[in-house]
Amino acid sequence: MTSVLLVPLPALLSRLAIGLVAGTAAGAWHFVSLRWNWPLFASGRTAMALALQIVRIALTCGFLLVLARVGALALLAGMGGVLLARRIALRHCGCYGRDGRYGDL
């Protein structure tokens, strides 16, 4: 039996790149909007905060659903991009210590 790629390598690489870039952008938006959301909770505007929370989660889930329709590799790369954006957001807010461990302020 010969090993043959069912999808050409350039198509796989383009799905990987699209997923990673789009996932990082979607993750960045998701975590930036979280920064808008917590002051609403803190000020007692719970209904507005919950509405924004639902929109944040729905848009992120919808984005991941679109990537799932593109393919498994695009979905995995997109989720990796979201996790990369999370890491950047946590580092930006000072939630990682100097040794890179979470919670060591």
Side-chain angles (χ1 to χ4, degrees):
M1 243 197 285
T2 61
S3 175
V4 177
L5 285 175
L6 297 177
V7 179
L9 188 59
L12 287 175
L13 293 177
S14 67
R15 289 178 185 173
L16 179 70
I18 288 169
L20 186 62
V21 169
T24 304
W29 180 85
H30 182 81
F31 293 109
V32 165
S33 65
L34 180 61
R35 187 171 208 147
W36 302 331
N37 200 13
W38 72 263
L40 293 173
F41 276 115
S43 67
R45 298 178 60 192
T46 308
M48 181 65 135
L50 285 175
L52 181 57
Q53 187 79 354
I54 290 169
V55 168
R56 283 179 57 244
I57 292 171
L59 287 176
T60 303
C61 289
F63 164 75
L64 291 174
L65 182 64
V66 168
L67 283 181
R69 304 273 301 164
V70 172
L73 187 61
L75 175 62
L76 288 173
M79 196 58 226
V82 169
L83 292 175
L84 176 66
R86 177 187 178 270
R87 174 79 177 196
I88 291 168
L90 287 175
R91 186 170 293 276
H92 180 72
C93 77
C95 296
Y96 280 102
R98 293 186 183 169
D99 61 355
R101 292 179 22 200
Y102 181 75
D104 262 349
L105 293 178

